[in-house]
Amino acid sequence: MAASLSSSPCAMMLVRNVTLLFGMGNHAARIRVGKGDRGVTYEQALHPHHIGHRKGWLSQHPCNLKGEEGAADRALEDVFIRRFMFGTFHGCLANEVVIKRRGNLLIVCALMLQKLPPQKFYFLTGYTESLLSHFYKCPVKLEIQTLQKQAVYKYL
Amino acid sequence: SATPDSTEAIDPTAYHYQFQDDPYLSPRTSAESKLYSMSQESGRAAAKYFVDMYPKYFTKDFAEPHIPCLMPASVALSLEEVSEEALKERIGLRKVGAAVEMYDQLVQAGTPISKQMTYDLLDLICFYGDREPAQEGEPEADQTELRRKRGRFHRASDTLRGVWRENNNAERLFRLLPEREARCYSAVIRGMVKHGAFAKAFDMYTDMLNNRLTADVDIFNALILAVPEMREAYTEKVDFITDLLNQMSQQKVQPNLQTFNNVLKVLRRCGALAKSISLQTLSEMKALGIVLTNSPVLPSLCNHQCLETKDMKLGYKVQSLVGVGDNWRLLGDSYQQGMFYYRFFSLLCLMEHVDVVLKWYHQLMPSLYYPNPQGMRDLLQALDTESRLELLPSIWKDVKTLGHDNKSDLVEELLSLMAREKHSPEVQESFADCALDIKAAFDVDRRKPSLEWSPLALGHVTTLLLRAGRIPQACEALLEDFLSQCSGAPTTAVELVKLSAAFCLPATPQLAQRVLLEFDLTEDQRSAGHIANRTRTQTDYWNYWNKYYQ
C-alpha cells in the first residue's frame, strides 16, 4: 500500500520529513528566540534534547529502571503535584518544581519568589505536606528556597 | 574518625529542623519562631479539615502495609461486624466513642467479653475522659495561652482539661462490672483526677479501702496531684500530702519516681514554705536511689533553685539531663523553654569565666534559645567584668538579628561600654563602625518604630567616632544632636544650618531638610533652607555663603 501511494501522482503532496513543512517542527518545551526582552531561566532556555547533557531531570524515581513497575503512576502523580504546587503557591513559583523519591518519601523541591510573608509560606507548606501525604499515603516533604526575583539565565 | 554517634549531635548554628533552611524563612527571634511553627500547625489543621470534609477523595488505599493515620477519620476502621476483635481494634486506634458503641452492641447481643477487654475499655474511657482524643500538637496553641494566663489561678483549668461529666460512660461501665479489682479503681480514680473530678476521686478511694483493696502506687500519685484542689491554705495542703504519704507507707506501697515528681509539683504551688520540704524530698529521693532521668518538674524547679543558691554544678547537671534522649520534651512549651534557658544563661554569666559563657552562648544561640534583652545585658556585664569589650560589635550584630535593637536601654548600655575607655586602634575602628551602624538604627525614616536619640547615646556615638578619627561623621552626629536639642527654637536651628554650610559639611542638605520639616520658619528662612538643601558642590556652598553671609 505504501508503494502504490508513493507511485501515485499525489505522492508529491505527502512529505516524509515533517520538519520541512512550514509552521510545523519540534515545539515541545522550547522558547524560540525573539526580540530579546523576554528573560528565561536556565530550565526554560535549554531545549529537551539537552536533558542528560546540560540539564538534569525534573522528576526522579526508579521506575524507569529495568524490571521496575509503576512508571505511569509516577508520571500521573508528578502531573498532579506540579498543578497542585502551581495553584497552592500561586504566583510564587520561580521555576519548575523538582520531585525526588527516596524509598517511600516524596520530596518536592521548589524555588519560590519572596512574594508572601514567611508565616504564609509556612502555612501553605504545612497544608501541602499534610494534604499530599493523605492523598498519596506516603510522607511528603517540601523543601523551599526563596529568591528576591526570578533568576534569569538569558534574554530571548 | 566519625562514628555514628558523633554525627548525631544537634547543629548549634542551625535553627530548628522544622523550619525551612532558607534565610528568608528562618526565624530570627523567639516571636518569629513561634509564629512560624504555629502557622505550619494551622496549615496542617486546614489540610486535616479538607481530608475529613471530603473523605471520598482520600479513601483509595494503596499503602502496603496499611497506614491508618493517613486515612480520613471516618474510614479508619476496617472491621465492621460486632465482635470482640472489632472492639479491640477500636481500643487500639483510640476511638473512644466507637469503642463504647461496639461494647454496648456486644452486651446487647449477649456475647461474652473477656475481663481484660473490659478493663482495657475502662482504661481508654478514663484516660480520655469519655471524649475523643485531640490530635497531637493541635490544641497546643490554646494550651500555652491558658497555662500562662492561669499562673496562680488553678480553677480555670476546667476548660483546659475537660470536665468529668456526671454518669458518663466510665462510671456507667464501672457500675456494670460484676467484680471490681484494684485495676478498675485505679483507672477510674486516675481518670477523675486527670479530668477535674477531685472530690469524686477521693470518694472512690475511700470506697476502695472499704472494699478492702489496697491502692497501688499510681492511685497515690494521682491523689497527690489532686491535693491542691482540695485544700486552700498552704499548711493544710502540706499536711494532706504528708497524710497521704503516711497512708502509703501503711499500705506498704513503695513510692516511685512519679510520686516524687507529683509531690514536687504540688509543693511548687505551696509557696515558700515548701522549699525546705522539697529539698528534703530531693535528698530522700537520692537516698532511695531513684534515678533522676525522667522527671518533668525537675528542670524548672532545679533551675529556679540554682539561680537562688548560685549552684553552678547543679545547673550543669540539669543541662546535661535535658540533653539526654527524650528529655528535651520535659521543658514544656516554648515559653517555659525560654525561661529555662534564660535562667541557665544568667547563672552562667554570673558564675563562670567569660570564655565558658561565650561557648555556651554560641551553642545555645540560634538553635535552642533566643535571648531576651535581660539575657543580653547579663552577657554584656560578663564581658565587662572580664574586659573582653572587643567582642561588643559582634554582640551588637546578634542584638540586631534578634530584633532587640529597639530597646533603648540595651543599646545605651552597649554604647556606654564601648565609649568608656580608649582601646587599641583596630578595636577603636571596629567600635566606630559599630557606632555608625547603631546610629543608622536610630534613623527616623525606617519602617519599624525607631528609637529616640538620648543626649547620652549621641555623646557616646560622637566620642567613638572622634576616637577613630572619623571627623565628618562625628560632626554630623554632633549637629544632629544640637538640632534635636533646639526644638521649638527655629532661629537657632537656622543658625545651625548656616554654620554647617559655612564649614561646607556634606551633612548640610540633610540638616536643612530636617529643619524645613520640623520647624516653623519665616519666608526668608524657608528659602534659605531650600538653597541649603540643594548644596552639593563647593560652588553651591560659595553661593550660599555669598548670599546669606554678606
Side-chain angles (χ1 to χ4, degrees):
Chain A
M1 185 146 131
S4 64
L5 268 177
S6 59
S7 57
S8 66
C10 58
M12 302 306 278
M13 305 294 280
L14 288 173
V15 189
R16 298 279 177 82
N17 194 346
V18 158
T19 53
L20 288 179
L21 265 182
F22 176 74
M24 285 201 193
N26 286 343
H27 280 271
R30 281 168 167 77
I31 298 182
R32 306 280 169 171
V33 174
K35 281 213 191 69
D37 54 354
R38 176 180 179 174
V40 291
T41 61
Y42 187 82
E43 175 69 39
Q44 290 167 327
L46 294 177
H47 295 166
H49 61 269
H50 287 130
I51 292 177
H53 303 274
R54 301 180 201 175
K55 268 192 350 176
W57 280 264
L58 287 178
S59 162
Q60 293 166 1
H61 56 81
C63 299
N64 283 327
L65 298 173
K66 177 168 179 177
E68 300 291 333
E69 297 171 353
D73 299 314
R74 300 295 94 76
L76 218 54
E77 282 172 19
D78 287 355
V79 169
F80 179 81
I81 291 172
R82 284 176 210 286
R83 286 197 185 204
F84 186 84
M85 291 296 288
F86 181 74
T88 313
F89 292 89
H90 196 79
C92 293
L93 281 181
N95 209 334
E96 297 287 334
V97 170
V98 172
I99 302 176
K100 304 180 190 176
R101 287 178 178 76
R102 287 177 203 159
N104 198 24
L105 183 60
L106 208 142
I107 304 177
V108 179
C109 309
L111 215 56
M112 305 265 177
L113 300 171
Q114 292 171 359
K115 285 211 172 149
L116 299 171
Q119 60 265 26
K120 295 203 179 167
F121 269 120
Y122 278 110
F123 177 85
L124 291 175
T125 307
Y127 165 75
T128 312
E129 284 184 355
S130 183
L131 200 80
L132 288 178
S133 302
H134 279 87
F135 199 56
Y136 288 123
K137 309 288 183 242
C138 66
V140 175
K141 294 252 185 303
L142 229 59
E143 282 178 15
I144 295 185
Q145 279 187 293
T146 56
L147 298 171
Q148 288 271 339
K149 49 190 196 336
Q150 216 181 31
V152 172
Y153 174 64
K154 62 182 179 184
Y155 289 90
L156 291 178
Chain B
S1 63
T3 61
D5 285 336
S6 66
T7 55
E8 230 184 72
I10 311 172
D11 178 9
T13 57
Y15 299 103
H16 198 261
Y17 67 84
Q18 73 186 34
F19 301 118
Q20 298 286 343
D21 193 11
D22 180 69
Y24 183 69
L25 298 175
S26 298
R28 299 288 149 83
T29 71
S30 61
E32 274 181 18
S33 123
K34 199 155 181 203
L35 177 64
Y36 297 168
S37 54
M38 295 268 194
S39 332
Q40 204 166 24
E41 245 349 287
S42 59
R44 287 194 201 122
K48 198 91 181 75
Y49 168 78
F50 280 113
V51 168
D52 292 335
M53 197 61 140
Y54 304 103
K56 62 183 191 243
Y57 299 119
F58 299 92
T59 48
K60 186 165 179 204
D61 183 17
F62 36 73
E64 193 64 44
H66 175 65
I67 307 174
C69 67
L70 289 180
M71 302 292 283
S74 51
V75 195
L77 303 166
S78 61
L79 294 171
E80 282 304 323
E81 76 280 2
V82 178
S83 73
E84 209 170 315
E85 298 300 316
L87 180 61
K88 192 168 173 186
E89 192 203 8
R90 279 153 179 74
I91 295 176
L93 286 173
R94 311 281 185 260
K95 305 270 178 212
V96 178
V100 172
E101 224 178 272
M102 180 61 65
Y103 178 79
D104 288 335
Q105 283 177 341
L106 281 170
V107 163
Q108 267 181 354
T111 337
I113 314 173
S114 65
K115 252 198 315 189
Q116 282 307 312
M117 196 66 66
T118 331
Y119 294 163
D120 283 339
L121 179 63
L122 189 63
D123 281 340
L124 180 75
I125 304 175
C126 292
F127 187 78
Y128 288 113
D130 201 20
R131 44 172 58 82
E132 296 298 326
Q135 290 304 322
E136 207 178 303
E138 173 229 301
E140 197 210 81
D142 312 302
Q143 271 192 30
T144 49
E145 290 308 314
L146 268 169
R147 215 179 292 169
R148 225 181 295 170
K149 280 187 207 148
R150 251 173 74 196
R152 309 268 165 219
F153 304 105
H154 310 304
R155 303 290 162 185
S157 56
D158 281 346
T159 39
L160 173 61
R161 306 226 222 109
V163 185
W164 182 268
R165 294 191 302 269
E166 287 286 334
N167 288 329
N168 62 10
N169 285 320
E171 294 189 14
R172 182 171 65 93
L173 198 67
F174 187 71
R175 280 188 220 120
L176 287 175
L177 285 174
E179 37 174 281
R180 301 168 195 170
E181 293 179 12
R183 183 187 157 169
C184 315
Y185 276 104
S186 168
V188 177
I189 291 177
R190 280 149 75 192
M192 284 176 173
V193 169
K194 182 173 177 184
H195 296 279
F198 303 109
K200 273 196 182 177
F202 278 100
D203 291 338
M204 194 64 74
Y205 172 64
T206 27
D207 196 24
M208 182 179 178
L209 291 177
N210 289 342
N211 286 346
R212 279 179 245 285
L213 293 164
T214 47
D216 63 0
V217 70
D218 296 321
I219 297 187
F220 278 110
N221 293 345
L223 291 175
I224 290 174
L225 272 181
V227 163
E229 314 289 340
M230 297 292 290
R231 298 278 183 277
E232 285 293 338
Y234 289 157
T235 42
E236 285 183 24
K237 287 184 197 179
V238 174
D239 290 335
F240 202 170
I241 295 176
T242 24
D243 184 38
L244 271 174
L245 289 173
N246 285 336
Q247 287 187 21
M248 205 166 154
S249 58
Q250 272 173 3
Q251 297 187 26
K252 305 220 189 337
V253 178
Q254 188 74 299
N256 68 358
L257 183 63
Q258 192 62 35
T259 329
F260 286 111
N261 283 343
N262 293 351
V263 169
L264 285 173
K265 211 188 271 194
V266 167
L267 285 176
R268 253 170 110 202
R269 301 209 209 140
C270 289
L273 147 76
K275 290 265 168 62
S276 51
I277 308 177
S278 56
L279 280 171
Q280 257 181 339
T281 336
L282 276 174
S283 48
E284 264 186 50
M285 279 167 86
K286 283 200 199 118
L288 281 173
I290 296 181
V291 181
L292 298 177
T293 44
N294 253 323
S295 40
V297 181
L298 266 189
S300 32
L301 184 65
C302 283
N303 222 297
H304 209 77
Q305 223 165 8
C306 296
L307 198 57
E308 301 203 2
T309 59
K310 316 268 190 283
D311 186 0
M312 199 61 235
K313 259 199 329 190
L314 193 53
Y316 276 132
K317 227 196 250 180
V318 175
Q319 179 62 22
S320 60
L321 279 179
V322 169
V324 169
D326 268 348
N327 285 359
W328 58 269
R329 283 177 197 271
L330 304 172
L331 283 178
D333 64 354
S334 55
Y335 173 68
Q336 288 178 338
Q337 218 172 356
M339 287 308 290
F340 173 78
Y341 282 116
Y342 162 62
R343 287 199 198 115
F344 179 66
F345 190 65
S346 43
L347 191 63
L348 272 175
C349 291
L350 275 175
M351 305 290 295
E352 287 283 355
H353 185 64
V354 79
D355 286 327
V356 178
V357 171
L358 284 170
K359 179 187 102 148
W360 274 106
Y361 177 68
H362 288 299
Q363 208 162 350
L364 291 176
M365 238 292 270
S367 51
L368 291 170
Y369 168 54
Y370 298 98
N372 54 6
Q374 185 57 40
M376 296 310 287
R377 289 236 282 278
D378 289 340
L379 179 64
L380 288 178
Q381 225 170 4
L383 287 176
D384 188 22
T385 333
E386 306 267 347
S387 2
R388 292 287 293 271
L389 296 175
E390 68 269 13
L391 296 168
L392 282 177
S394 65
I395 304 290
W396 164 248
K397 270 201 216 121
D398 287 336
V399 167
K400 250 200 327 189
T401 328
L402 287 170
H404 292 319
D405 52 348
N406 54 1
K407 312 279 189 311
S408 54
D409 43 358
L410 180 62
V411 178
E412 269 179 38
E413 190 163 329
L414 194 69
L415 278 172
S416 60
L417 274 179
M418 281 201 286
R420 211 174 45 191
E421 313 143 341
K422 265 195 141 219
H423 296 267
S424 68
E426 313 88 45
V427 177
Q428 278 314 140
E429 278 298 312
S430 65
F431 278 6
D433 290 326
C434 187
L436 277 173
D437 202 27
I438 298 181
K439 182 157 166 295
F442 277 88
D443 269 337
V444 197
D445 47 25
R446 277 203 330 169
R447 260 183 287 135
K448 287 199 282 180
S450 61
L451 296 166
E452 292 291 319
W453 272 119
S454 82
L456 214 57
L458 264 172
H460 291 316
V461 170
T462 328
T463 331
L464 286 167
L465 289 171
L466 283 172
R467 278 204 201 128
R470 312 253 181 113
I471 313 234
Q473 285 103 328
C475 292
E476 208 179 292
L478 265 174
L479 287 169
E480 294 226 357
D481 183 12
F482 292 146
L483 202 60
S484 40
Q485 297 301 320
C486 52
S487 54
T491 35
T492 341
V494 171
E495 282 302 318
L496 204 66
V497 174
K498 279 196 191 159
L499 254 179
S500 91
F503 282 98
C504 306
L505 289 177
T508 319
Q510 246 175 309
L511 279 172
Q513 215 168 22
R514 254 189 88 179
V515 169
L516 283 169
L517 278 173
E518 291 177 22
F519 294 90
D520 314 315
L521 302 168
T522 66
E523 272 306 314
D524 302 326
Q525 288 170 330
R526 201 163 273 283
S527 56
H530 279 300
I531 295 188
N533 202 358
R534 277 181 258 118
T535 50
R536 297 283 182 272
T537 65
Q538 289 288 70
T539 21
D540 292 332
Y541 284 111
W542 182 244
N543 292 339
Y544 183 83
W545 169 267
N546 273 338
K547 192 158 183 195
Y548 290 101
Y549 270 84
Q550 302 305 19

